[in-house]
Amino acid sequence: MPFINTKISVGIDEKKEEKLKAEFGKLVSIFGKDEKWVMVAFDQKTDIWFGGDKKEKAAYVSVSLVGDPDEESCKEFTTKVCELYKNELGITGDNIYITFHPVKGTNWGWNNQLF
């Protein structure tokens, strides 16, 4: 918690994956979360269609977290992710969707218990 699941149309090597993971670890502070609780997954070389066209460079980022983030935090996170993916993967913001999924602590399990 949070869990950041990202689907990208490009492939990345382990070094790039580490860098992106580390950046997401920093970015969750926008929501008042700590990196030690972050889980990140990358689905690479995923076919992504947008507006009827298959995109060479596109991404979908899904953010699930305990609690309900405010609009400003979501906006800041969106801006930072778009900058990150443009700089690191060459994916522009107009080819990135980001969704936020607030979850009640009683609906999120970990280590034999609920948050």
Side-chain angles (χ1 to χ4, degrees), residues 75-89:
K75 184 177 179 180
E76 181 180 356
F77 188 86
T78 297
T79 298
K80 298 287 186 182
V81 169
C82 287
E83 290 171 0
L84 177 65
Y85 274 21
K86 180 180 180 186
N87 294 336
E88 296 297 326
L89 303 176

Side-chain angles (χ1 to χ4, degrees), residues 23-87:
E23 290 300 319
F24 278 125
K26 294 174 191 173
L27 289 177
V28 296
S29 66
I30 292 169
F31 302 113
K33 306 296 183 181
D34 190 293
E35 179 180 20
K36 72 179 182 177
W37 293 104
V38 177
M39 182 179 280
V40 180
F42 297 98
D43 293 330
Q44 303 178 40
K45 297 182 180 178
T46 300
D47 288 339
I48 298 178
W49 296 79
F50 183 70
D53 298 319
K54 185 175 177 181
K55 295 296 181 178
E56 183 179 325
K57 292 189 174 192
Y60 169 66
V61 180
S62 173
V63 183
S64 298
L65 56 137
V66 171
D68 194 6
D70 62 74
E71 185 176 340
E72 281 302 310
S73 296
C74 292
K75 184 177 179 180
E76 181 180 356
F77 188 86
T78 297
T79 298
K80 298 287 186 182
V81 169
C82 287
E83 290 171 0
L84 177 65
Y85 274 21
K86 180 180 180 186
N87 294 336

Side-chain angles (χ1 to χ4, degrees), residues 3 5 8 32 91 93 98:
F3 173 52
N5 188 15
I8 52 178
I91 301 173
I98 302 170

